[in-house]
Amino acid sequence: MASTATTTVILFFLTFSLLKTTATSDSDCKGRRIHIRKLPTRFNLELLTNCSSFFPLYPDFCPHLANHGLGPKTDNRCHSWYRTDTHLLELFFHRRLLEYPCLSPNPLQSDAVFLPFYSSLDSLRFLYGPDYNVSHLHGLDLFSYLQSNDPDIWGRNNGHDHFLIMARTSWDFSQPLPEILGDENGEEIERLWGTSFLMLPEFFNLTVLTLESRAWPWQEQAIPHPTSFHPSTVGFLDSWILRVRKSRRSTLMFFAGGGGTSPTGNPNVRRSIREECGAVQNSSVVDGGRFQKLCEIVDCSNGICEHDPIRYMKPMLQASFCLQPPGETPSRRSTFDGILAGCIPVFFEDQSAKNQFQWHLPPAEYEEFSVTIPKEDVVFKGLKVVDVLMGIPRAEVRRMREKVMELIPKVMYRKHGSSLGLRAKKDAFDIAIEGTLQRIKDRLKDVSAAG
Ligand SMILES: *[C@@H]1O[C@H](CO)[C@@H](O)[C@H](O)[C@H]1NC(C)=O
Ligand SMILES: *[C@@H]1O[C@H](CO)[C@@H](O)[C@H](O)[C@H]1NC(C)=O
Ligand SMILES: *[C@@H]1O[C@H](CO)[C@@H](O)[C@H](O)[C@H]1NC(C)=O
Ligand SMILES: *[C@@H]1O[C@H](CO)[C@@H](O)[C@H](O)[C@H]1NC(C)=O
């Protein structure tokens, strides 16, 4: 089963690459031409063949390779829901780019060059495997390939027009280089988490799409975490949005979280939320003649929710607000699951979304579709989340929910090979490509002005 999925994926890519790509008319593609760099399979497809035999600490992800990385359907009767593994967005992104209408076979006539390097899959051997103590070398093999094969492609713009995607957070790729850690004597130093890909001067000119950027991003821009919803027609999208609109919101606030018992026992906002929610869990208030439950928690410890959207999508559909406190890192996939469910996000710091997803969630509109409660007020000043949320007038809640629903088409990744009608709407992928092209254009302008 697993190897069948892998073989199918690989066969597909091989066949697809033989097809002649037909670009739309020249004028439509002006300024938007993308060349997909041909890379040896060790940078992409070969990494997939290892899906079952990655390292002891890393689970078998073969089943999730199905449908070009969207994973298997949650249920055969279900049209748009998949058991999507976040890290396989690299594979899916590559697949979507193959149907991009302005592909350019000639790198020297393109506006941007995509590197189909499955960087987070490649990072597993550094993060969890035998290459742990050389994690500062992650990516150098790719760089030397780019320098020694058709070096003009990189050289034309010193890499300023190149981009790739990393389906992990930037924290996983920003370990300081050993020189900076003071390892000049070659002595054993304590390794921090992550590879050094984003710290390598070799890649400073690259544009990198990640699931979360650093607090002071340089090469990278965050794009939405993939959810489990991947419709293929406007009909499927619209019927979901209709269901979201009609859903009765019988819970005030919802939180899907892991155990989150911080090993140090330090106060943190997740713990405050869990305590607050636990205390009010069985209480309800009468709201407009209906009983409303105050809080619901779904325990997602040990990754049990990761490939099982039903566990949290149902309660999200019934909740007015979805709490999105920072987890191990500031941003969460759950932010996007909640938006899909029409559940208004409640953030506790700007680093969770506002400073991250500027292309997809416009920073100027946050107050229209989300609530921000500073985490310090909750943890140290005893502010109750439930009090803040109950204080928001019903009409305001409805307006915010409308705004959240408008975001649904923009944060979801539609299925590859979708209907033409759906292709005409911009999804998370389309917006990411637009943003990338604009960013590269600005970069090249700056570089030529400086030079
Ligand atoms: C796949 O796994 C094997 C054994 O763990 C390893 O030797 C090989 O280098 C891996 N291939 C890739 C492309 O990572
Ligand atoms: C990495 O660690 C292993 C043992 O854990 C050791 O055998 C190997 O030589 C180390 N590699 C480097 C480059 O230090
Ligand atoms: C990055 O761009 C600068 C000029 O903007 C150039 O001097 C440098 O060599 C480039 N780096 C690489 C690795 O190509
Ligand atoms: C809420 O109800 C459940 C069972 O219905 C019970 O186990 C739990 O202790 C109650 N929680 C509180 C805070 O009363």
Side-chain angles (χ1 to χ4, degrees), residues 208-228:
V208 178
L209 304 175
T210 58
L211 299 183
E212 179 178 313
S213 61
R214 290 167 290 185
W216 291 277
W218 177 244
Q219 305 95 313
E220 78 269 29
Q221 168 66 41
I223 61 172
H225 298 228
T227 62
S228 284

Side-chain angles (χ1 to χ4, degrees), residues 143-155:
F143 188 72
S144 78
Y145 177 83
L146 298 174
Q147 296 308 300
S148 49
N149 295 274
D150 297 319
D152 291 353
I153 302 177
W154 177 276

Side-chain angles (χ1 to χ4, degrees), residues 10-38:
I10 292 171
L11 279 179
F12 174 83
F13 276 95
L14 294 180
T15 343
F16 209 101
S17 58
L18 297 176
L19 298 177
K20 201 174 161 348
T21 49
T22 46
T24 358
S25 87
D26 266 11
S27 57
D28 287 347
C29 288
K30 193 165 181 298
R32 300 169 52 214
R33 287 188 190 81
I34 297 178
H35 173 73
I36 301 178
R37 182 82 204 251
K38 236 181 147 34

Side-chain angles (χ1 to χ4, degrees), residues 341-361:
C343 188
I344 300 163
V346 180
F347 299 116
F348 298 87
E349 58 177 28
D350 285 347
Q351 197 56 23
S352 286
K354 196 172 185 178
N355 296 348
Q356 300 277 349
F357 306 104
Q358 295 94 342
W359 292 350
H360 295 80
L361 304 175

Side-chain angles (χ1 to χ4, degrees), residues 146-432:
L146 298 174
Q147 296 308 300
S148 49
N149 295 274
D150 297 319
D152 291 353
I153 302 177
W154 177 276
R156 182 170 68 129
N157 289 303
N158 287 319
H160 284 289
D161 54 355
H162 280 49
F163 72 105
L164 59 77
I165 171 168
M166 291 181 154
R168 296 184 77 94
T169 76
S170 297
W171 307 106
D172 294 333
F173 301 105
S174 45
Q175 178 180 170
L177 292 168
E179 302 86 279
I180 297 167
L181 291 172
D183 185 39
E184 63 276 357
N185 303 324
E187 277 176 23
E188 195 65 23
I189 44 153
E190 200 193 335
R191 289 264 148 215
L192 304 172
W193 173 256
T195 81
S196 304
F197 191 103
L198 292 172
M199 307 300 277
L200 293 173
E202 285 83 349
F203 287 122
F204 281 172
N205 298 347
L206 196 61
T207 289
V208 178
L209 304 175
T210 58
L211 299 183
E212 179 178 313
S213 61
R214 290 167 290 185
W216 291 277
W218 177 244
Q219 305 95 313
E220 78 269 29
Q221 168 66 41
I223 61 172
H225 298 228
T227 62
S228 284
F229 180 58
H230 309 287
S232 59
T233 67
V234 177
F236 291 139
L237 173 64
D238 286 350
S239 70
W240 172 254
I241 295 178
L242 188 66
R243 176 162 173 204
V244 170
R245 175 166 285 121
K246 282 171 62 184
S247 180
R248 186 162 115 68
R249 307 281 160 174
S250 52
T251 309
L252 177 71
M253 61 191 204
F254 172 77
F255 174 52
T261 38
S262 129
T264 54
N266 284 337
N268 70 52
V269 69
R270 271 191 298 171
R271 202 213 285 175
S272 304
I273 287 171
R274 200 167 295 106
E275 284 169 4
E276 189 182 328
C277 195
V280 300
Q281 199 158 25
N282 298 343
S283 354
S284 54
V285 291
V286 180
D287 182 27
R290 284 168 163 176
F291 275 103
Q292 190 181 38
K293 201 171 163 189
L294 287 179
C295 186
E296 175 155 6
I297 289 194
V298 166
D299 184 356
C300 285
S301 310
N302 307 319
I304 56 169
C305 297
E306 207 173 330
H307 302 125
D308 201 358
I310 296 142
R311 281 182 195 263
Y312 51 82
M313 288 311 293
K314 275 203 171 141
M316 279 177 164
L317 276 172
Q318 291 164 356
S320 292
F321 295 95
C322 284
L323 309 184
Q324 306 295 357
E328 277 168 24
T329 70
S331 78
R332 314 175 81 218
R333 165 179 169 170
S334 162
T335 298
F336 299 98
D337 294 316
I339 290 174
L340 280 188
C343 188
I344 300 163
V346 180
F347 299 116
F348 298 87
E349 58 177 28
D350 285 347
Q351 197 56 23
S352 286
K354 196 172 185 178
N355 296 348
Q356 300 277 349
F357 306 104
Q358 295 94 342
W359 292 350
H360 295 80
L361 304 175
E365 293 169 21
Y366 266 67
E367 287 182 10
E368 296 167 40
F369 68 81
S370 70
V371 176
T372 300
I373 304 175
K375 59 175 189 263
E376 295 76 15
D377 291 357
V378 176
V379 177
F380 299 114
K381 299 190 188 153
L383 181 66
K384 293 280 175 258
V385 178
V386 81
D387 293 340
V388 176
L389 300 181
M390 286 214 296
I392 304 175
R394 287 165 64 92
E396 177 69 18
V397 174
R398 266 198 302 274
R399 264 199 303 276
M400 291 173 100
R401 184 154 57 239
E402 278 304 316
K403 201 74 195 170
V404 170
M405 287 188 292
E406 282 172 25
L407 296 172
I408 295 176
K410 300 180 186 161
V411 300
M412 59 117 199
Y413 292 85
R414 65 170 166 76
K415 195 180 177 196
H416 54 279
S418 290
S419 69
L420 290 177
L422 190 57
R423 288 185 199 206
K425 292 180 190 270
K426 286 181 183 141
D427 77 338
F429 171 89
D430 298 320
I431 295 171

